Amino acid sequence: MTHPRTAGRLLMVMPYEQLVRKAVEAGFRVWSVWDPKLRPAAYLDQVAAHSEELLLTDFEDEAALRALVARAAREHRVDHVLHLGSERSMAPVVAEAEALGLSPNTAASVRLLNDKHAMRALLNAAGVSVVRVREAAGLAEVEPVLAEFGLPAVVKPTNSAGSRGVALVRTAADLAEWAERVKAAGIEGPFIVEEFLRGPEFSVETLSVGGAHQVVGITAKQTSGPPGFVETGHVHPAPLDPADAQAIRSTVTALLDLSGFAFGPAHTEVILTPAGPRVVESQARLGGDRIPLLVEVATGFDLEAAIFRGLAGEDVRAPAAHRYASVGFFRLPAGRLESVEGVDALKALDHVHAVHFPYGPGDVLPLTTDSGTRHGYAVVDAPSPAEAADRIAAAHAALRARTTPIPKEAL
């Protein structure tokens, strides 16, 4: 592997293929760590192609993961350790990197963003984005907590993403349905119970370098609504009144300051209530749902590449948006897929930037209950939010799929 310029040596845990590639393009030599259970061998081959070496371990074994991070950091004399993937394995990696003096963030700062209860306690103590909240250590405690807290209320795991285990509970039947869903998903808690926030939802992407926070953009979210709030689409930039946009930016940067977060991307979800912005949750990583692509389509700013350019000492600033970008998620009837048409025609359209439909005839389409069980997506650009909505609607219509219902237990 050739190195046209050297920004340093980087150990990345759970790096997506394009992140390794963009880190190398920024001048870093990269060693990558993955759990082979989490990605197909062909995908890991792509990661390895951009890496000095691909190291494999079980992310569920925290001691082994920490030992591998320490050994690789010593052997390869790395300058930084980064984890930009799932929160589930982030805590032990950042803790080990901090102990080695190789993490741009403290483990405490990352926990204060990723752990929903810790984040809420931090904000409430500071009088920022105050929201009533209670914690339940396990599933059995949720019902008595709700009885004292009052309904309606939102219940969710303290450590999860992608709408997993989130529900608005208004009745005993809602609670029973939610409990069945989290049991089936193997979510054991702890959980938090929060007041139900009313208002439109937004995602806020930030990039922090040296403790200074840049709000890269605000994205308007569309969800299925209660009880599960599964995200169905987004538009970027969010069509917002300037005063509301500034209030959202100020609230999010206040959270980042309070947590002590110093470097990297963060993805923060906000509801704009009648009383002002209220943070729903935050994660010390890039946003999912192709939001970085929406930012790039709308502004020309590659947020993923900017992470490594900032780490290399470059000044990275996101320009203003010059058009809108939207993603719409396919949500087809669950069952066995008999036929599908329109995917190739959709990809060929000039205003379509990405189409993902990973199913073929004979595959079973799951019932959509969270972000992981949606059926794919299309990303489009448009000169206005209204035209973006029209193009997403046309993309949904263009995907012509026929499914046959099958028993629920087979989904």
Side-chain angles (χ1 to χ4, degrees), residues 217-288:
I218 303 174
T219 304
K221 296 176 56 177
Q222 298 145 3
T223 77
S224 61
F229 301 97
V230 179
E231 292 167 353
T232 58
H234 307 300
V235 62
H236 182 92
L240 274 167
D241 177 86
D244 288 336
Q246 181 54 46
I248 290 172
R249 285 193 290 266
S250 296
T251 299
V252 171
T253 55
L255 167 62
L256 297 173
D257 282 336
L258 286 167
S259 71
F261 190 69
F263 177 82
H267 170 72
T268 306
E269 298 179 6
V270 174
I271 291 178
L272 185 58
T273 75
R278 296 293 184 267
V279 174
V280 176
E281 60 185 56
S282 188
Q283 291 92 27
R285 57 164 173 78
L286 292 156

Side-chain angles (χ1 to χ4, degrees), residues 30-55:
V30 179
W31 284 260
S32 299
V33 178
W34 261 100
D35 184 335
K37 299 189 305 296
L38 300 180
R39 281 294 186 276
Y43 186 90
L44 295 180
D45 287 344
Q46 294 176 354
V47 174
H50 302 294
S51 306
E52 300 289 325
E53 185 179 1
L54 174 62
L55 308 166

Side-chain angles (χ1 to χ4, degrees), residues 191-234:
F191 303 96
I192 58 172
V193 174
E194 292 187 333
E195 65 177 287
F196 176 41
L197 302 173
R198 292 174 171 84
E201 298 185 44
F202 303 92
S203 293
V204 184
E205 310 313 309
T206 54
L207 180 60
S208 302
V209 179
H213 316 299
Q214 176 187 181
V215 175
V216 174
I218 303 174
T219 304
K221 296 176 56 177
Q222 298 145 3
T223 77
S224 61
F229 301 97
V230 179
E231 292 167 353
T232 58
H234 307 300

Side-chain angles (χ1 to χ4, degrees), residues 8-380:
R9 294 169 174 244
L10 183 59
L11 179 66
M12 295 180 69
V13 178
M14 203 178 180
Y16 304 116
E17 175 272 333
Q18 76 275 14
L19 296 182
V20 183
R21 172 169 48 82
K22 292 174 183 182
V24 172
E25 290 170 354
F28 287 96
R29 297 179 65 184
V30 179
W31 284 260
S32 299
V33 178
W34 261 100
D35 184 335
K37 299 189 305 296
L38 300 180
R39 281 294 186 276
Y43 186 90
L44 295 180
D45 287 344
Q46 294 176 354
V47 174
H50 302 294
S51 306
E52 300 289 325
E53 185 179 1
L54 174 62
L55 308 166
L56 302 177
T57 191
D58 181 358
F59 286 176
E60 298 293 328
D61 186 339
E62 293 190 1
L65 176 57
R66 291 188 64 154
L68 176 59
V69 168
R71 184 172 68 254
R74 287 194 304 270
E75 289 180 0
H76 304 297
R77 305 186 306 281
V78 303
D79 302 298
H80 311 282
V81 176
L82 286 184
H83 189 316
L84 302 174
S86 168
E87 298 95 302
R88 187 168 183 175
S89 56
M90 193 177 291
V93 171
V94 177
E96 187 63 34
E98 182 181 14
L100 296 168
L102 300 175
S103 175
N105 290 302
T106 65
S109 70
V110 171
R111 183 183 67 85
L112 287 169
L113 292 185
N114 289 349
D115 184 293
K116 295 176 178 60
H117 189 256
M119 181 211 71
R120 184 65 66 210
L122 177 71
L123 288 170
N124 285 353
V128 176
S129 178
V130 175
V131 174
R132 282 199 313 128
V133 64
R134 288 284 305 276
E135 187 173 30
L139 188 59
E141 294 184 22
V142 172
E143 185 173 4
V145 168
L146 276 170
E148 182 181 337
F149 190 86
L151 301 178
V154 172
V155 183
K156 55 189 174 183
T158 60
N159 290 290
S160 69
S163 306
R164 290 183 72 246
V166 178
L168 171 63
V169 176
R170 293 169 292 195
T171 66
D174 289 340
L175 178 59
E177 187 280 331
W178 171 82
E180 181 181 348
R181 180 153 50 93
V182 298
K183 285 179 184 176
I187 302 172
E188 298 179 349
F191 303 96
I192 58 172
V193 174
E194 292 187 333
E195 65 177 287
F196 176 41
L197 302 173
R198 292 174 171 84
E201 298 185 44
F202 303 92
S203 293
V204 184
E205 310 313 309
T206 54
L207 180 60
S208 302
V209 179
H213 316 299
Q214 176 187 181
V215 175
V216 174
I218 303 174
T219 304
K221 296 176 56 177
Q222 298 145 3
T223 77
S224 61
F229 301 97
V230 179
E231 292 167 353
T232 58
H234 307 300
V235 62
H236 182 92
L240 274 167
D241 177 86
D244 288 336
Q246 181 54 46
I248 290 172
R249 285 193 290 266
S250 296
T251 299
V252 171
T253 55
L255 167 62
L256 297 173
D257 282 336
L258 286 167
S259 71
F261 190 69
F263 177 82
H267 170 72
T268 306
E269 298 179 6
V270 174
I271 291 178
L272 185 58
T273 75
R278 296 293 184 267
V279 174
V280 176
E281 60 185 56
S282 188
Q283 291 92 27
R285 57 164 173 78
L286 292 156
D289 285 358
R290 299 313 308 268
I291 290 178
L293 177 59
L294 299 187
V295 171
E296 187 170 5
V297 169
T299 67
F301 183 71
D302 187 335
L303 175 55
E304 295 172 339
I307 297 168
F308 306 106
R309 290 169 48 212
L311 189 61
E314 294 185 37
D315 184 27
V316 286
R317 290 288 156 186
H322 58 272
R323 58 181 173 179
Y324 290 87
S326 184
V327 60
F329 296 97
F330 302 127
R331 194 174 181 182
L332 302 170
R336 192 170 304 282
L337 183 63
E338 301 296 337
S339 64
V340 59
E341 298 177 344
V343 175
D344 290 339
L346 192 54
K347 291 179 178 179
L349 296 174
D350 289 341
H351 61 265
V352 173
H353 294 262
V355 176
H356 180 61
F357 186 73
Y359 300 97
D363 291 339
V364 173
L365 273 60
L367 182 67
T368 299
T369 57
D370 55 32
S371 65
T373 49
R374 294 172 305 195
H375 302 144
Y377 57 80
V379 174
V380 305

